[in-house]
Amino acid sequence: MKMRYIKIGAVLIISMFLIGAVATTLDDFFLPGSQPGQSGTFDNPNQCANCHGDYDLGVEPMHNWKGSMMAQAMRDPLFLASMTIANQDAIDSGDLCIRCHSPSGWLEGRSTPTDGSALNATDIENGVQCHFCHKLIDPESTSTVDLAYMSTLTDIPPQSGNGMFVVDSDNNTKRGPFNDANANHPVIYSTFHSESTLCATCHDVSNPAFSKAPDGTYQPNKLGEPSPSFVTYEMFPVERTYSEWKMSAYNSPGGIPSAVFGGNKANVSSCQDCHMKDVSGYGCNKNNIPFRNDLPLHDLTGGNTFIPKLLMELYPDADNVAALTAGILRAEGMLKNAATMNLNVEPNGSGFEAYVEIINETGHKLPSGYPEGRRMWINLSAFDIDDNLIYESGAYDTATAILDMDGTKIYEAKLGMSEAVATAASDETKTYTAGESFHFVLNNMIVKDNRIPPRGFTNANFEAIQSAPVGYTYDDGAYSDITEYYLPEDTYRINVKLLYQTTSKEYVEFLRDENTTDTAGQTLYDLWAANGKSIPVIMNEAEVLTDALDIVDYADIDEQLHIYPNPANNLINIKFNLKTTSPLKLDVFSITGVKVETVYNGDLPFGEYKIKWETSQVSSGTYIMRFKFPDRVESRLIIIK
């Protein structure tokens, strides 16, 4: 197909929107690369499982892939409800969705009708499946075998991204990152499969129906014609996870040191390093294959811990449930390691100031990905000496799924619709409102983006990839954010949580209420309501007691309380005598008042006691050991060498 450059103007806005549903066609969402019928056929993943499954659940590709949202991409009820709304808003736009959620179904010609009704059971069950990924070709490859296939295509993508995949037509050969694979099928060694560029295929998403105008706004293309340019940054940005990585410090030869990501690697650089970490084991269950310490775990999880629970209810076969359960645990691990939280509290006149710093430990914005509904926020609670709640920011009601927005620091991206598009899209059957909007396919503005950038961030680079902060400011080099809170003078205990939510009540209700086509929105809502309403996951938690902030006089401490050795290396003994039965809570705090560990919490009869505290996992420094009895609080400074 020959591409023509089209002048963008107001007349095109009018011509694009003719009826209640925008009268778009497949041509409006055309993207270059392999087209239906040009990539042969695809093996059923059950065939792959013969060698790559049922031998070591901890490392085998099949079990781990099956528990990921990649495998479940076309079963996801949230996605299906979203696609319904997209098709309602712009005819045939669902084709763009199916490209990345069932690429083998799309390439075998079953993406129309664009509601997915022509997809077969294998397409739906397996989503982004094994043979698709292992047939992928780098669109910028210069190898002879790759060029031979690409010479059969009419349009080669200008880069990886936006579902513009190039997929080999060879039905037998599999491509992968090892040049010593001893497989029962033909293999092509592919460096592309260990490069982040491969992940860009479906994790750098643009809407090709809108193009960037000279004034920086995004305007609709002429109805019935493809985008005048398929360069990622010339179309409207929906998500920029890959590009955020590309502009981060992780995209470097040495990468970034990490003790929690990367598996056997000390440093992480590529998307695969974190989402397919190196483990030790065998890549399949056959004899005479190499044992690897750099075996890529087919983890493929992000932060989605909620939708897998719905999928267990929808598809309750034992293997699926076991895989999804393992996937949830991996996603929880991802979330807990995605950010570091620092809490510092200082007395301020008659009250206290609390500073909460959230540090992004990922290679992209935090949170990243498709923006509709996902969010991260800070919940800070202050309690008095009797444990009464006297202040809260970021309160969330699990029964109603309502987040108190007032004064809450919420990290999120929100898209919206311009006045011109909203007006032109509206008619007597449907009225669209300009501004913040969940109408994904009609959105042509970024309304808000205060998500925390990764290491290596610069405003110029993120502006270039259409991912600059909106409505918020980060200095060049920033990869953390600090929020300040002013707390009442009777504050005694301060608790802070960093929370992540897969999807919001507002988005789920939108998908239910806007649906006039099928039952996908109601199905999602019912599942959501019956399974905890996407309960937020605690990514980090910290606590400070204000009486631990200012320790001055230790002269009145009971001489029968002995802490030794002090300074200590690996073990501290705490010896004391109780004259009466008493409850005791023994906590250790950093010198800034951040809780490190609870050593003991319970009732003790009268008598002499000796408690041991293992300190080998505690960093060197000065700490506060705090003894809380019903009638008094005693504190001691201790030093860990």
Side-chain angles (χ1 to χ4, degrees), residues 248-537:
S248 77
Y250 290 80
N251 180 20
S252 61
I256 300 295
S258 176
V260 293
F261 298 120
N264 293 338
K265 289 184 176 177
N267 289 14
V268 292
S269 176
S270 68
C271 305
Q272 289 89 334
D273 287 347
C274 291
H275 297 280
M276 297 185 73
K277 65 183 181 182
D278 283 6
V279 295
S280 300
Y282 295 99
C284 75
N285 59 17
K286 301 303 179 184
N287 296 326
N288 302 317
I289 62 165
F291 180 89
R292 302 185 187 280
N293 290 311
D294 59 349
L295 182 68
L297 182 71
H298 283 57
D299 179 350
L300 307 169
T301 52
N304 195 334
T305 61
F306 178 62
I307 298 300
K309 297 175 183 177
L310 310 189
L311 291 166
M312 291 183 203
E313 183 172 327
L314 291 169
Y315 306 97
D317 58 280
D319 287 345
N320 197 52
V321 169
L324 287 166
T325 300
I328 290 173
L329 293 175
R330 296 197 304 270
E332 288 175 347
M334 278 284 184
L335 288 173
K336 292 183 185 301
N337 291 312
T340 301
M341 182 169 71
N342 292 326
L343 169 62
N344 289 295
V345 180
E346 299 176 0
N348 179 21
S350 59
F352 298 90
E353 290 184 41
Y355 301 89
V356 180
E357 181 183 25
I358 308 298
I359 302 170
N360 183 0
E361 303 292 357
T362 76
H364 44 67
K365 283 188 173 182
L366 186 66
S368 189
Y370 187 62
E372 313 289 47
R374 67 178 67 188
R375 57 192 180 182
M376 182 177 78
W377 74 89
I378 298 172
N379 170 255
L380 185 144
S381 302
F383 302 84
D384 64 16
I385 191 73
D386 296 316
D387 220 31
N388 298 309
L389 180 68
I390 57 175
Y391 173 91
E392 185 171 18
S393 174
Y396 180 83
D397 187 329
T398 56
T400 63
I402 294 175
L403 171 62
D404 182 359
M405 307 283 190
D406 187 24
T408 298
K409 174 60 72 68
I410 308 171
Y411 297 100
E412 60 188 346
K414 290 189 173 183
L415 305 183
M417 201 184 310
S418 69
E419 186 72 46
V421 168
T423 300
S426 300
D427 66 8
E428 64 277 5
T429 65
K430 175 70 177 177
T431 300
Y432 292 93
T433 303
E436 182 182 325
S437 160
F438 285 134
H439 290 278
F440 148 68
V441 77
L442 299 181
N443 286 337
N444 66 330
M445 303 188 310
I446 301 172
V447 176
K448 173 189 177 182
D449 189 352
N450 69 336
R451 296 172 298 162
I452 305 172
R455 287 171 170 81
F457 165 81
T458 68
N459 283 278
N461 283 347
F462 274 64
E463 178 74 31
I465 62 169
Q466 306 161 295
S467 192
V470 175
Y472 206 73
T473 302
Y474 287 100
D475 294 333
D476 286 354
Y479 57 93
S480 71
D481 182 59
I482 297 176
T483 306
E484 187 173 358
Y485 300 85
Y486 295 91
L487 307 178
E489 62 180 335
D490 50 347
T491 296
Y492 177 72
R493 178 169 67 90
I494 302 164
N495 178 271
V496 180
K497 299 181 182 73
L498 179 64
L499 300 170
Y500 175 85
Q501 189 173 44
T502 300
T503 191
S504 66
K505 170 187 174 72
E506 292 78 13
Y507 188 47
V508 173
E509 290 183 340
F510 163 83
L511 294 175
R512 177 198 62 186
D513 297 341
E514 289 290 316
N515 191 309
T516 60
T517 307
D518 57 29
T519 61
Q522 188 65 52
T523 297
L524 170 67
Y525 180 86
D526 292 343
L527 288 165
W528 171 82
N531 288 275
K533 301 180 179 179
S534 192
I535 295 175
V537 175

Side-chain angles (χ1 to χ4, degrees), residues 577-594:
N577 184 59
L578 289 180
K579 297 180 180 179
T580 60
T581 298
S582 173
L584 167 67
K585 187 176 183 186
L586 173 55
D587 294 312
V588 178
F589 296 84
S590 71
I591 197 65
T592 59
V594 176

